[in-house]
Amino acid sequence: MNGDWNEGEVGDFLRSRRARIRPEEVGLPAHGRRRVPGLRREEVAQLAGVSVDYYIRLEQGRGPSVSDAVLDAVARVLRLDETEHAYLRTVARPRRQRTKQRSAPQVRPGIQTLLDGMERSPAFVLGRRMDVLAWNALGDAVNGFSRLAPGERNVPRQVFLDPAARELYPEWAAVAAQTVANLRLGAGRYADDPELCALVGELSLKSEDFRRLWADHQVKQCAYGVKKVLHPVAGLLTLPYETLTVPDDPDQTIVVYTPEPGSETAERLALLGSWETSTAR
């Protein structure tokens, strides 16, 4: 990942999406041997109503002035979902201005007060690189953020480089795939972020699983869902979650676990909170 990352990414992304569509699915004959699976570039161009040369330039990252109409047509042919469609627009027309490197992101005191007020819900704040920037007491009890060095408080690094993660997450494969898909969204928006580039490079070097998932070019925003955590004290926790973007800082996301009141997980969290409080005293 480097300064020209978007140019390579738009081609890799489109090729990965071409490969998953069989010609017969879009009304094209499937006869003849194909060197690679899926649709050929000329077939995508034909179905999208653009010239082959124009589409090739798009895959090569040489289409910064490509119109919404063309991107919409390509998205339709490749059957992109809403998130993938938005991602294509981002990487096909990247912002070229390089912003100055900012100081370490800070969470407003009001946001920390909001977290602390959620006494029954584990909650924390993630930055653009999925760094953990702040948390409340129950969020710390579940995830152990305060026991980590500042540089280790990063979700992708924890998922792929911490051996304990596979025991912590019973559905580790799903968590890993979701983490990479969310990280790729951020990488598409901030291709000129040197720390984000360094994170992807580090994970690619140190984790074969990350390399494989990153090469799959999946993109998905983790807006809500359910995560299972096997906590060493509380046992198995089934944790629905919701995410909220901080209004004046779109790089910061509040993640809140929302177990159903009265559920077994809610009861276990209450006991965990009491246990953590007594231990701290």
Side-chain angles (χ1 to χ4, degrees), residues 185-197:
L185 275 180
R189 296 189 190 103
Y190 306 109
D192 59 353
D193 183 333
E195 292 185 40
L196 183 53
C197 294

Side-chain angles (χ1 to χ4, degrees), residues 3-62:
D4 297 325
W5 180 79
N6 277 85
E7 286 85 342
E9 171 59 12
V10 65
D12 291 341
F13 179 70
L14 289 173
R15 283 189 290 273
S16 73
R17 294 309 181 266
R18 284 197 285 117
R20 70 182 184 181
I21 299 179
R22 298 192 303 272
E24 56 268 29
E25 291 181 298
V26 291
L28 295 175
H31 60 76
R33 187 170 183 176
R34 292 172 178 258
R35 292 181 298 173
V36 294
L39 297 178
R40 300 185 176 104
R41 290 183 296 187
E42 56 268 25
E43 292 170 336
V44 176
Q46 173 189 343
L47 293 168
V50 299
S51 70
V52 176
D53 181 63
Y54 189 96
Y55 180 77
I56 290 174
R57 292 202 307 273
L58 176 60
E59 277 205 3
Q60 292 174 341
R62 296 189 290 125

Side-chain angles (χ1 to χ4, degrees), residues 119-122 137-142 231 233-234 265-281:
E119 296 181 354
R120 298 182 180 180
S121 297
L138 202 51
D140 193 26
V142 171
H231 193 274
V233 174
T265 291
E267 293 175 357
R268 291 183 175 187
L269 285 174
L271 290 173
L272 178 62
S274 299
W275 183 84
E276 288 283 342
T277 300
S278 62
T279 300
R281 288 175 181 171

Side-chain angles (χ1 to χ4, degrees), residues 15-253:
R15 283 189 290 273
S16 73
R17 294 309 181 266
R18 284 197 285 117
R20 70 182 184 181
I21 299 179
R22 298 192 303 272
E24 56 268 29
E25 291 181 298
V26 291
L28 295 175
H31 60 76
R33 187 170 183 176
R34 292 172 178 258
R35 292 181 298 173
V36 294
L39 297 178
R40 300 185 176 104
R41 290 183 296 187
E42 56 268 25
E43 292 170 336
V44 176
Q46 173 189 343
L47 293 168
V50 299
S51 70
V52 176
D53 181 63
Y54 189 96
Y55 180 77
I56 290 174
R57 292 202 307 273
L58 176 60
E59 277 205 3
Q60 292 174 341
R62 296 189 290 125
S65 60
V66 61
S67 67
D68 284 343
V70 169
L71 293 179
D72 292 347
V74 170
R76 172 182 51 79
V77 171
L78 298 180
R79 301 184 177 184
L80 303 186
D81 62 27
E82 184 177 346
T83 301
E84 292 171 326
H85 191 171
Y87 182 75
L88 174 61
R89 290 192 179 193
T90 298
V91 296
R93 294 184 303 210
R95 296 174 298 174
R96 292 302 177 189
Q97 65 273 20
R98 182 176 293 273
T99 56
K100 295 181 179 180
Q101 187 171 355
R102 303 190 307 172
S103 57
Q106 300 294 319
V107 173
R108 293 202 318 271
I111 298 297
Q112 184 64 63
T113 300
L114 176 66
L115 297 179
D116 294 338
M118 301 179 192
E119 296 181 354
R120 298 182 180 180
S121 297
F124 50 94
V125 178
L126 296 180
R128 68 162 65 170
R129 308 174 196 98
M130 300 181 73
D131 293 316
V132 182
L133 307 179
W135 54 84
N136 65 4
L138 202 51
D140 193 26
V142 171
N143 297 285
F145 297 132
S146 64
R147 293 190 291 272
L148 298 174
E152 295 176 355
R153 295 171 189 158
N154 174 271
V155 173
R157 188 173 281 118
Q158 182 257 344
V159 169
F160 289 97
L161 302 185
D162 184 353
R166 294 175 187 266
E167 295 182 8
L168 181 65
Y169 302 117
E171 298 174 342
W172 182 88
V175 171
Q178 189 178 57
T179 298
V180 172
N182 191 64
L183 184 65
R184 183 173 281 280
L185 275 180
R189 296 189 190 103
Y190 306 109
D192 59 353
D193 183 333
E195 292 185 40
L196 183 53
C197 294
L199 174 63
V200 173
E202 177 190 3
L203 295 172
S204 297
L205 288 172
K206 295 180 178 179
S207 171
E208 181 179 351
D209 289 307
F210 180 86
R211 287 196 301 274
R212 172 179 53 80
L213 290 168
W214 189 257
D216 200 30
H217 297 275
Q218 296 298 319
V219 290
K220 182 178 180 182
Q221 188 170 17
C222 303
Y224 60 90
V226 178
K227 182 177 290 185
K228 291 187 177 181
V229 172
L230 185 57
H231 193 274
V233 174
L236 182 62
L237 305 173
T238 300
L239 298 165
Y241 65 86
E242 299 286 340
T243 64
L244 306 167
T245 301
V246 176
D248 64 343
D249 191 343
D251 289 349
Q252 293 188 6
T253 302

